[in-house]
Amino acid sequence: MVDILHRVGVKTPSPEKVYEALTTVDGLAGWWTDDTTGDADVGGVIAFRFPPGGFDMEVIEHRPSEHVSWKVVDGPEEWVGTTVDWELRQDDEMTIVLFKHQGWKEPVEFMHHCSTKWATYLMSLKSLVETGTGAPSPRDVRIAFPD
Amino acid sequence: MVDILHRVGVKTPSPEKVYEALTTVDGLAGWWTDDTTGDADVGGVIAFRFPPGGFDMEVIEHRPSEHVSWKVVDGPEEWVGTTVDWELRQDDEMTIVLFKHQGWKEPVEFMHHCSTKWATYLMSLKSLVETGTGAPSPRDVRIAFPD
């Protein structure tokens, strides 16, 4: 079992805006993909779509301003059954975001790609909260050519 | 044992420029840190320095345009003894870079930080080869505030 781990610090006085960007369809569309639909409440399923495909995430837990957890219920075979966790913690004027995408069966090349791509989306989330503008798909940062 | 994995694709007709950016002091200074010194040949030790500290890497292997391997011989406790591997492969007009930073004992918060930070440095390497300009320290992408 191998995991994708990341950490960013978002300059914001409280975790509220980051939490909102992780727990509402509008917030998620602001940094991950324009094409975000579904039910973002606990027990609901959010559909994230990108030009090449997408992911359906069941919302497992919302602990306000502290923790968000999703389970992948549909998407690429390597993703189905994996979990995505977001832990938030305030540290002075910065919200620390600890990200874990866990449960990958094998460290396949696609996992290397997803690890780098998640980093760019976390930077997009940081930018959304700090400046009001993220870089969601299809305006996402390209890490390969074609991506 | 947990690993940091990444993948980028660099638009370039052959892996030569990427390989050079990984195996020469000037190349490394172009995307990781301005303050790169030492002996970049196999068996040598390269000293990478950043405002908060740095890393000494022993060069373990150079396989031209295919593989570069380093071992961390000095630096933060969590890094010492870990290995950094770079695999290169040409895919049409793109050099695929597979990156592995292996041998971390625990998935500590610092590892989450380093994973995200590596992604930004791989984007810097990609930019260096594609445009001639990278974003090495101290002009690196800030992923937290302060970083």
Side-chain angles (χ1 to χ4, degrees):
Chain A
M1 294 284 258
V2 282
D3 306 330
I4 294 173
L5 307 175
H6 286 298
R7 177 190 188 273
V8 293
V10 181
K11 192 178 179 186
T12 182
S14 85
E16 280 169 33
K17 281 190 180 175
V18 177
Y19 183 73
E20 191 184 315
L22 296 173
T23 54
T24 64
V25 168
D26 278 358
L28 292 158
W31 65 267
W32 201 15
T33 175
D34 280 358
D35 192 353
T36 300
T37 55
D39 175 4
D41 293 332
V42 173
V45 172
I46 316 172
F48 300 98
R49 293 293 176 272
F50 304 80
F55 317 104
D56 287 354
M57 302 277 195
E58 183 183 343
V59 181
I60 303 297
E61 188 182 52
H62 281 176
R63 211 160 61 227
S65 294
E66 287 183 6
H67 186 232
V68 171
S69 181
W70 300 329
K71 183 173 183 179
V72 183
V73 292
D74 204 357
E77 186 190 340
E78 297 91 338
W79 277 56
V80 175
T82 62
T83 55
V84 176
D85 280 88
W86 305 85
E87 282 177 43
L88 311 181
R89 175 181 95 234
Q90 194 65 18
D91 185 359
D92 288 332
E93 50 186 331
M94 186 164 67
T95 299
I96 303 293
V97 180
L98 289 180
F99 169 92
K100 292 180 179 63
H101 184 177
Q102 297 178 298
W104 290 78
K105 290 189 183 72
E106 299 290 337
V108 291
E109 186 166 331
F110 181 47
M111 184 183 170
H112 293 63
H113 166 86
C114 293
S115 175
T116 312
K117 197 74 191 183
W118 269 124
T120 68
Y121 282 123
L122 265 78
M123 294 300 284
S124 169
L125 167 64
K126 173 178 165 67
S127 174
L128 173 69
V129 173
E130 291 180 352
T131 72
T133 306
S137 170
R139 299 173 303 288
D140 49 319
V141 172
R142 300 302 158 107
I143 64 172
F145 172 86
D147 218 5
Chain B
M1 294 284 256
V2 281
D3 305 331
I4 294 172
L5 308 175
H6 286 298
R7 177 190 189 274
V8 292
V10 181
K11 191 177 179 185
T12 182
S14 85
E16 280 169 32
K17 282 191 178 175
V18 177
Y19 184 73
E20 192 184 316
L22 296 174
T23 55
T24 65
V25 168
D26 277 359
L28 292 159
W31 64 268
W32 202 15
T33 175
D34 279 358
D35 191 353
T36 300
T37 57
D39 175 2
D41 293 332
V42 173
V45 173
I46 317 172
F48 299 99
R49 294 292 177 272
F50 303 80
F55 317 103
D56 286 357
M57 302 277 195
E58 183 183 344
V59 181
I60 302 299
E61 188 180 51
H62 281 177
R63 210 160 64 228
S65 294
E66 287 183 6
H67 186 230
V68 172
S69 181
W70 301 330
K71 183 174 181 177
V72 183
V73 292
D74 204 357
E77 185 190 342
E78 297 91 337
W79 277 56
V80 174
T82 62
T83 56
V84 175
D85 280 88
W86 304 85
E87 281 176 43
L88 311 181
R89 174 181 97 233
Q90 195 65 20
D91 185 0
D92 289 329
E93 51 185 331
M94 185 164 68
T95 299
I96 303 292
V97 180
L98 289 181
F99 169 92
K100 292 182 178 64
H101 184 176
Q102 296 178 298
W104 290 79
K105 287 188 186 73
E106 300 289 338
V108 291
E109 186 165 332
F110 180 48
M111 183 183 172
H112 292 64
H113 166 86
C114 293
S115 175
T116 313
K117 196 77 190 182
W118 270 124
T120 68
Y121 282 123
L122 264 79
M123 294 300 285
S124 169
L125 166 65
K126 171 177 166 68
S127 175
L128 174 69
V129 173
E130 291 180 353
T131 72
T133 306
S137 170
R139 298 174 303 289
D140 49 318
V141 173
R142 301 304 159 107
I143 63 171
F145 172 86
D147 219 5

